[in-house]
Amino acid sequence: MAAREFDVIVIGAGPGGYVAAIRAAQLGLKAVIVERENLGGICLNWGCIPTKALLRSSEVFHLMHRAKEFGLSAGNIGYDLDAVVKRSRGVAKQLSGGIGHLMKKNKIEVVMGEATLTAPGKVAVKTEKGSEELVARNIVLATGARARELPGLAADGQRVWSYRHALVPPHMPKSLLVIGSGAIGIEFASFYNTLGAKTTVVEVMDRILPVEDAEISAFAKKQFVKQGMTILEKATVKQLDRAKDSVTAHIEVGGTVTQQVFDTVISAVGIVGNVENLGLEALGVKIDRTHVVTDEYCRTGVPGLYAIGDIAGAPWLAHKASHEGVMVAELIAGGHPHPVKPESIAGCTYCQPQVASVGLTEAKAKERGHEIRVGRFPFIGNGKAIALGESEGMIKTVFDAKTGELLGAHMVGAEVTELIQGYVIGRTLETTEEDLMNTVFPHPTLSEMMHEAVLDAYGRALHF
């Protein structure tokens, strides 16, 4: 069978790949996308979306228990874990189906199979029907990443789970150990803890949510402990002894190893890029710790070959992948897009309370030699937060004292994953403290705290 020709071949149909293909098609390029498993990738099927559906269920469950506070009554509060999971899977299925519709609408061909680069500009795809060859001057790698597995801590789907098992749990944990306190670990800890699992989180670094500002991490930790979680920092799980209905974890804290028994363990110790079996080494693509090395425009150094999203390294975020996909498509079409700046990409964690941030932490800003001004505003000083019954939280801003540049913003509390975008836009528009101070924020809203956190950095906070 003769090789089929395209302008762009995209390998991987996650939020990076499918968006790259759509933008390429919009720009008049003939695009094909190769996917070995699900349209929408991990994000839509086994990541961002289904976890948010689960967390919404636990949030409603939590609020039902607080009914009395709001002058309401609710009796016999309970949950059906199978039904909660079924709703989550339904949400994922609906969105994955939507991607198929978008592919048809944009006349993008989808080839289901495994891709291998056989030569520059050539891709062999192994499909159910056999194999075929695709040819294009431009190839975009968007193969994503998978859960990292540490020796002895590998998931088995019974008592030791990866994020995939945690999304379709074979049982409801009574006592849960979560290894790793990044976004994935903390979100699952939050979900299962809210539903009643006695939850312990182990973090090897000196604090949970280690990429966040230290003050925000400390605030979040206090809330998690209040909710009944046990948090162990500077701790390592040395080994897991698996039995039929329990796991004994050997946990080292401060040089002392103790044994603790749990009925379920979730391993969330980071991710590794899907770089295997693609033929990258033979083409001379540089790989560093399971990630493809690229320049700021996602170019791999091999002419016409780009890598976007999780395979191209941190930050491992769906919205970063999508934006890179758009940038690469525009570059291929002869445009002059701006490179994606990692420090202008917000990170969001949907635990309870939510955590969101963009730009430099206070420590990072100082490390880089900035003279800084820091502003803070607590949720307790905001009318809307009190009306919502969500008075636990804070917003923190970091400015360059000399130029007024917004270096970073950090939040913990209700709905902060929605609020953070205001600061993201501010950073993109290169806003200064003066612009933000002169912006009128609507009342009563949680967003007013964003204004107050700016005012506070300059000694002008009005409501605290």
Side-chain angles (χ1 to χ4, degrees), residues 125 142 159 185 200 242 263 286 325 446 463:
V125 185
R159 293 290 159 184
T200 298
R242 303 162 200 238
D263 66 37
K286 281 194 195 128
L446 296 174
H463 290 94

Side-chain angles (χ1 to χ4, degrees), residues 161-181:
W161 299 348
S162 70
Y163 64 87
R164 282 209 182 204
H165 306 120
L167 281 166
V168 284
H171 60 265
M172 174 63 199
K174 290 187 181 67
S175 56
L176 172 67
L177 170 65
V178 178
I179 309 171
S181 75

Side-chain angles (χ1 to χ4, degrees), residues 16 65 269 295 331 334 346 387 437:
H65 280 92
V269 289
D295 68 6
L331 209 56
M437 285 183 191

Side-chain angles (χ1 to χ4, degrees), residues 166-206:
L167 281 166
V168 284
H171 60 265
M172 174 63 199
K174 290 187 181 67
S175 56
L176 172 67
L177 170 65
V178 178
I179 309 171
S181 75
I184 294 170
I186 281 295
E187 286 182 0
F188 280 122
S190 200
F191 171 72
Y192 283 109
N193 188 68
T194 301
L195 292 189
K198 190 169 166 35
T199 304
T200 298
V201 177
V202 168
E203 172 54 56
V204 71
M205 306 292 277
D206 61 355

Side-chain angles (χ1 to χ4, degrees), residues 82-281:
D82 289 344
V84 168
V85 170
K86 189 180 175 189
R87 176 181 180 270
S88 166
R89 299 315 308 152
V91 169
K93 192 178 175 191
Q94 182 182 339
L95 284 163
S96 184
I99 304 303
H101 169 71
L102 287 172
M103 296 298 99
K104 283 194 183 96
K105 180 188 163 193
N106 288 282
K107 298 181 174 57
I108 297 158
E109 188 174 341
V110 176
V111 178
M112 297 304 291
E114 294 222 15
T116 309
L117 282 79
T118 53
K122 284 186 180 175
V123 175
V125 185
K126 201 157 78 183
T127 68
E128 278 181 359
K129 294 173 186 169
S131 70
E132 65 170 311
E133 191 171 60
L134 310 175
V135 177
R137 285 180 66 179
N138 299 285
I139 297 171
V140 181
L141 295 172
T143 54
R146 62 187 184 277
R148 181 187 297 281
E149 292 201 329
L150 296 181
L153 308 185
D156 55 37
Q158 301 304 308
R159 293 290 159 184
V160 183
W161 299 348
S162 70
Y163 64 87
R164 282 209 182 204
H165 306 120
L167 281 166
V168 284
H171 60 265
M172 174 63 199
K174 290 187 181 67
S175 56
L176 172 67
L177 170 65
V178 178
I179 309 171
S181 75
I184 294 170
I186 281 295
E187 286 182 0
F188 280 122
S190 200
F191 171 72
Y192 283 109
N193 188 68
T194 301
L195 292 189
K198 190 169 166 35
T199 304
T200 298
V201 177
V202 168
E203 172 54 56
V204 71
M205 306 292 277
D206 61 355
R207 57 192 172 88
I208 59 161
L209 296 165
V211 302
E212 300 297 339
D213 186 88
E215 220 172 324
I216 300 296
S217 290
F219 191 103
K221 179 187 174 182
K222 210 162 90 182
Q223 298 305 310
F224 298 149
V225 169
K226 208 188 271 186
Q227 292 163 19
M229 278 191 214
T230 300
I231 308 278
L232 303 175
E233 293 159 327
K234 289 191 193 165
T236 313
V237 177
K238 306 303 277 185
Q239 76 181 71
L240 298 174
D241 300 334
R242 303 162 200 238
K244 188 171 178 284
D245 54 5
S246 68
V247 180
T248 303
H250 299 244
I251 304 170
E252 185 182 325
V253 187
T256 307
V257 178
T258 58
Q259 293 183 22
Q260 295 186 42
V261 180
F262 302 90
D263 66 37
T264 312
V265 177
I266 295 176
S267 178
V269 289
I271 62 172
V272 292
N274 293 323
V275 292
E276 302 88 352
N277 307 319
L278 286 166
L280 301 182
E281 292 86 348

Side-chain angles (χ1 to χ4, degrees), residues 342-373:
E343 277 159 9
S344 289
I345 295 168
C348 297
T349 306
Y350 299 79
C351 43
Q352 207 173 345
Q354 293 182 2
V355 176
S357 59
V358 66
L360 302 180
T361 62
E362 182 180 351
K364 268 269 163 62
K366 284 177 182 167
E367 207 180 282
R368 293 200 184 176
H370 290 278
E371 196 184 312
I372 60 171
R373 277 180 173 269

Side-chain angles (χ1 to χ4, degrees), residues 441-458:
F441 286 71
H443 173 80
T445 62
L446 296 174
S447 69
E448 288 173 277
M449 292 184 285
M450 296 167 64
H451 193 215
E452 293 274 11
V454 175
L455 293 172
D456 183 59
Y458 291 84

